[in-house]
Structures are given as structure tokens and as C-alpha cells.
Amino acid sequence: MTLGRLNHVGVATPSIAASIETYRSLLGATAIGEPFDLPTQGVKVCFIDAPNTQIELIEPYDDASPIAGFLRKNPAGGQHHVCFEVPDIDAAVAELKAKGATVLGEPRIGAHGTPIIFLHPRDMGGMLVELMESPGDGH
Ligand SMILES: CC[C@H](C(=O)O)C(=O)SCCNC(=O)CCNC(=O)[C@H](O)C(C)(C)COP(=O)(O)OP(=O)(O)OC[C@H]1O[C@@H](n2cnc3c(N)ncnc32)[C@H](O)[C@@H]1OP(=O)(O)O
Ligand SMILES: [Co+2]
């Protein structure tokens, strides 16, 4: 497995609209994508571009959202996960499982339209790590 670029930092929020305003007013964010729903993953998503990576704002799509528990513990939201790119998600999953890591679920299509998986925080020193297969356009 080859660790690739940091594709995005996932930030959980109770309100994407409020977070957009914070990034715009405090940090001068200008490249703010249109929010969109990803019901298959239980979240609403909005990407804010930085020169070398993205902030992925995620808000629960419904009460069954995988981030609902996180927001109950952290009502104001906060850093939720980091996502690194890998060249081949299936090869990465096989290698990680062989190393005894807990891969959460099966590869499924994420917000960039390529397959993703998550490693359990206990395998990564308390940090939720997402791996995504590199998109063809490099972004
Ligand atoms: C996929 C679309 C988009 C994309 O980029 O394409 C996204 O990234 S959407 C992101 C939302 N989806 C996910 O997060 C899916 C993977 N996450 C999970 O399966 C769960 O959230 C899981 C298993 C990490 C935690 O589940 P849950 O919150 O229900 O369990 P617990 O509250 O019991 O937590 C267990 C243990 O993990 C710690 N924890 C939970 N969330 C995080 C986190 N974000 N970062 C670090 N640690 C986390 C929690 O504190 C518990 O620790 P413990 O020491 O056992 O108390
Ligand atoms: Co993500």
C-alpha cells in the first residue's frame, strides 16, 4: 500500500450553512462548493477548497447518520476524520486486513465518486482515517 496525498479533512458540523459562513468570514474561504446530499452515506456534504487539500464539511442527513453519535458527544462539531488517497482501494483493504487492522464495511462510493473505506480509530491512535481511491483528475 502506498500512502497518497491528504485529500480532505472531514469536519462534522450541526449546520453546513453556519460553517460555510465561519470559513468565509474568519478564514477568507472563497472556493466553496455547492452543498449536496449523500443519503447512501448518511451525510450532507460541502467541500471548501484550500490550495493543497479540501475541508469536507459533513452534516447528518438523518438520525441514522454515522456522525450523529459524534455530534451528540461534540455538539459544536469538530475534526471528524482525515482522508488519504491510495492507488488501489482493494489492494489497500487486503493489505490492511492482513495486518490485522479493522476496516469498517466494504469499499463504497464516497463523495468524490471513487471507492472509500474507513479504518477504526483504535488502529490509528484515536483518529478516524478514510482511504479513497485516487480520482482520475487528481482532485
Ligand atoms: C463517505 C462520504 C464522505 C467521503 O469523504 O466520501 C465521508 O467521509 S462521510 C463520513 C461519515 N462516515 C463515517 O464516519 C463512516 C465511518 N465511521 C463509523 O463507522 C463510525 O463513526 C465509527 C465506527 C468510527 C464510530 O461509531 P460510533 O460513533 O457509533 O461508535 P462509538 O461512539 O461507540 O465510538 C467508538 C469509539 O470510536 C471513537 N470515535 C468515534 N468517532 C470517532 C472519530 N470521528 N474520531 C476519533 N474517534 C472516534 C469513540 O470515541 C469511541 O472511542 P472509545 O475509546 O471506545 O470511547
Ligand atoms: Co470524508
Side-chain angles (χ1 to χ4, degrees):
M1 191 188 116
T2 308
L3 183 62
R5 71 183 280 266
L6 175 67
N7 181 274
H8 64 267
V9 176
V11 175
T13 175
S15 165
I16 282 178
S19 294
I20 285 172
E21 199 39 47
T22 298
Y23 276 81
R24 192 199 317 271
S25 60
L26 279 188
L27 298 185
T30 53
I32 301 171
E34 194 59 37
F36 60 96
D37 292 344
L38 205 56
T40 58
Q41 304 299 329
V43 290
K44 302 173 184 176
V45 183
C46 175
F47 284 108
I48 297 178
D49 287 350
N52 56 351
T53 190
Q54 292 180 307
I55 293 294
E56 178 186 76
L57 296 175
I58 46 177
E59 181 186 325
Y61 180 75
D62 54 23
D63 291 343
S65 173
I67 66 170
F70 181 91
L71 283 170
R72 278 194 292 274
K73 290 182 185 173
N74 309 277
Q79 188 272 325
H80 181 263
H81 65 276
V82 293
C83 179
F84 295 101
E85 293 181 16
V86 293
D88 180 334
I89 199 77
D90 292 325
V93 168
E95 185 175 332
L96 289 161
K97 285 184 173 177
K99 290 174 178 174
T102 301
V103 175
L104 297 165
E106 296 298 321
R108 64 262 199 205
I109 299 302
H112 283 87
T114 67
I116 63 160
I117 55 103
F118 288 86
L119 289 180
H120 198 283
R122 65 170 163 263
D123 294 320
M124 288 299 307
M127 186 166 73
L128 181 59
V129 172
E130 176 184 348
L131 299 179
M132 66 174 271
E133 193 160 282
S134 301
D137 64 359
H139 199 65

